[in-house]
Amino acid sequence: MPEDMITLREISGVTLSESRKAELRKLGLEICSGEESGASIQADGILVGGQPDNHVEDRIQIVEAGDGPRLLLVYGDKIRAGLADEWSAAHPGWEVIRMFRFSDGDKVLLGGEPSGKWMRKLSRQLARRNIISLLCRRGEVDEAVRQLGLYLTWKERFFMRLGEVCDEEGSQLRIQVLARALGMDKRVGQGWLYPDRKSQTRLCRWLDQQLQQVLKRTNVHRITLWGNISFWLQFPASGLLGKEVRLFSSAVDHAKAETVPAEWSVYEDWRSALSQSDLLMIGTADPVISEMPLPVLAREMAKPIVIDACSCFPIEEAESCRIIYRAIGENTNVWEWSRL
């Protein structure tokens, strides 16, 4: 292990995935394994990497004794606001730092005491990895995380409305081109879809509207839903009644998979999910669909009809592959095609 790695034990009761551990490793944080119930830990401190369960206070007290200041790192966006400040007041023997990593991976917020030993060490360690850190108060990190979600939701709502304007104008305006054009101003940025939103109502409403258009004009028996299970649990299942529904997710949450409608089939292999499908509906994108060659997609399906809430493909490329393709703000009167 590199000498500048900070070793931590996760105590919140959250099982960290390998991808999350790799993310932390890039920040110079190594997560220890071993029994959490030990009287001491062979680590620099402890990590709370998600909203903790009811036993986290007991775990803090178990490892509280020890020589030298210890680090209690509260990490991520799934943490109740104010929790880090509460722990700082309740456990003066710990240096409590609130940490949040932005999605681009090279910027971090660090909330704590500016002169704290671990605060200084963490900021230096991040700098060596070419990661920019902003030092502030713990409460300021909490509020920044909250406001970031609110802003991204507002921004997505703006572009959804812009997509409606593009649809009203027919093929004269294209949302993807307008989004890129506006994004050339660095105050705006080109990414407008907010994949971590909690409410999927707007996208689900749009998908359902497009589904109804397809069902009026063509015979669809087999429908493949693509994306996170949590997304599709918010979709109005009534529009899918009487159809064979296949749901593909690149990272299946088996607990959530048990809550999908009983008549749906959940797949972990995308080819099986797409095989001879009449309609593909993309709710959330992943590298599999984003990087899939469109000829492959068309070849797997019985009828290459795609409704895409994530705008994964250029519409011109889809047309060249004879895929009937509909994305937000890309109105080509697609449901009026003679093929339907």
Side-chain angles (χ1 to χ4, degrees):
M1 181 186 300
E3 291 183 2
D4 67 342
M5 293 290 282
I6 294 175
T7 58
L8 301 171
R9 172 142 326 141
E10 214 290 334
I11 66 161
S12 62
V14 176
T15 301
L16 293 181
S17 65
E18 289 304 315
S19 60
R20 177 52 67 92
K21 289 180 180 178
E23 171 187 317
L24 290 166
R25 203 169 292 121
K26 290 178 181 178
L27 301 176
L29 305 172
E30 187 69 39
I31 308 305
C32 294
S33 58
E35 294 297 322
E36 293 180 353
S37 59
S40 63
I41 57 172
Q42 299 301 313
D44 298 307
I46 54 181
L47 170 76
V48 175
Q51 188 60 33
D53 61 22
N54 295 329
H55 304 290
V56 69
E57 279 286 351
D58 297 335
R59 299 189 189 105
I60 293 176
Q61 292 174 8
I62 287 173
V63 299
E64 197 155 19
D67 297 329
R70 289 209 180 270
L71 168 64
L72 197 168
L73 185 65
V74 184
Y75 178 80
D77 61 346
K78 309 298 183 185
I79 307 295
R80 175 173 62 81
L83 188 60
D85 275 334
E86 292 172 16
W87 280 342
S88 181
H91 302 280
W94 293 86
E95 184 178 340
V96 181
I97 295 179
R98 179 74 172 94
M99 185 176 186
F100 172 73
R101 169 185 172 270
F102 290 95
S103 59
D104 58 11
D106 60 2
K107 299 182 187 70
V108 164
L109 293 178
L110 289 177
E113 304 303 326
S115 59
K117 167 192 169 181
W118 290 107
M119 192 77 154
R120 297 195 308 273
K121 184 170 183 176
L122 264 174
S123 61
R124 290 196 300 266
Q125 179 169 291
L126 291 168
R128 285 194 292 271
R129 289 167 168 77
N130 297 316
I131 297 173
I132 299 170
S133 59
L134 173 64
L135 277 58
C136 55
R137 296 183 176 92
R138 287 177 289 265
E140 289 169 335
V141 177
D142 287 336
E143 190 62 18
V145 171
R146 187 178 80 89
Q147 295 293 345
L148 179 63
L150 293 174
Y151 172 75
L152 292 173
T153 299
W154 171 85
K155 182 181 178 183
E156 183 178 81
R157 188 178 301 123
F158 167 82
F159 278 100
M160 291 287 288
R161 178 65 190 113
L162 184 58
E164 293 172 6
V165 172
C166 292
D167 285 346
E168 292 166 2
E169 293 294 327
S171 60
Q172 302 305 310
L173 298 176
R174 295 168 296 170
I175 182 62
Q176 292 300 335
V177 175
L178 290 175
R180 295 188 191 104
L182 292 174
M184 292 179 72
D185 188 319
K186 65 180 181 180
R187 295 171 298 176
V188 178
Q190 294 188 352
W192 59 276
L193 282 174
Y194 178 32
D196 295 327
R197 74 185 82 74
K198 292 183 179 179
S199 173
Q200 315 287 357
T201 303
R202 285 178 175 272
L203 287 187
C204 286
R205 185 186 304 129
W206 181 84
L207 283 165
D208 189 46
Q209 290 170 349
Q210 301 307 312
L211 172 63
Q212 299 311 314
Q213 293 277 359
V214 173
L215 296 180
K216 288 177 183 177
R217 290 170 169 80
T218 189
N219 223 357
V220 170
H221 298 288
R222 187 176 295 117
I223 300 175
T224 299
L225 310 179
W226 192 295
N228 296 337
I229 293 175
S230 57
F231 177 94
W232 290 109
L233 287 175
Q234 298 185 43
F235 186 78
S238 58
L240 300 168
L241 290 177
K243 309 299 180 184
E244 178 188 340
V245 179
R246 303 171 174 182
L247 194 162
F248 168 77
S249 177
S250 57
V252 173
D253 184 326
H254 293 281
K256 289 181 180 177
E258 295 179 359
T259 65
V260 304
E263 59 272 19
W264 293 12
S265 300
V266 178
Y267 287 76
E268 297 186 57
D269 174 64
W270 68 264
R271 288 186 183 275
S272 300
L274 269 183
S275 178
Q276 296 303 299
S277 182
D278 299 317
L279 170 66
L280 169 64
M281 299 175 65
I282 304 174
T284 60
D286 56 32
V288 178
I289 193 67
S290 299
E291 299 169 9
M292 185 179 295
L294 282 172
V296 173
L297 181 65
R299 188 167 58 245
E300 294 292 332
M301 299 180 66
K303 298 177 183 176
I305 306 174
V306 180
I307 304 173
D308 183 3
C310 303
S311 302
C312 294
F313 310 109
I315 195 165
E316 296 85 356
E317 184 179 342
E319 289 178 347
S320 69
C321 294
R322 300 188 61 78
I323 294 175
I324 300 174
Y325 181 69
R326 181 73 164 93
I328 295 172
E330 299 279 3
N331 190 354
T332 56
N333 295 318
V334 64
W335 309 134
E336 303 299 332
W337 286 11
S338 60
R339 292 183 64 197
L340 288 177

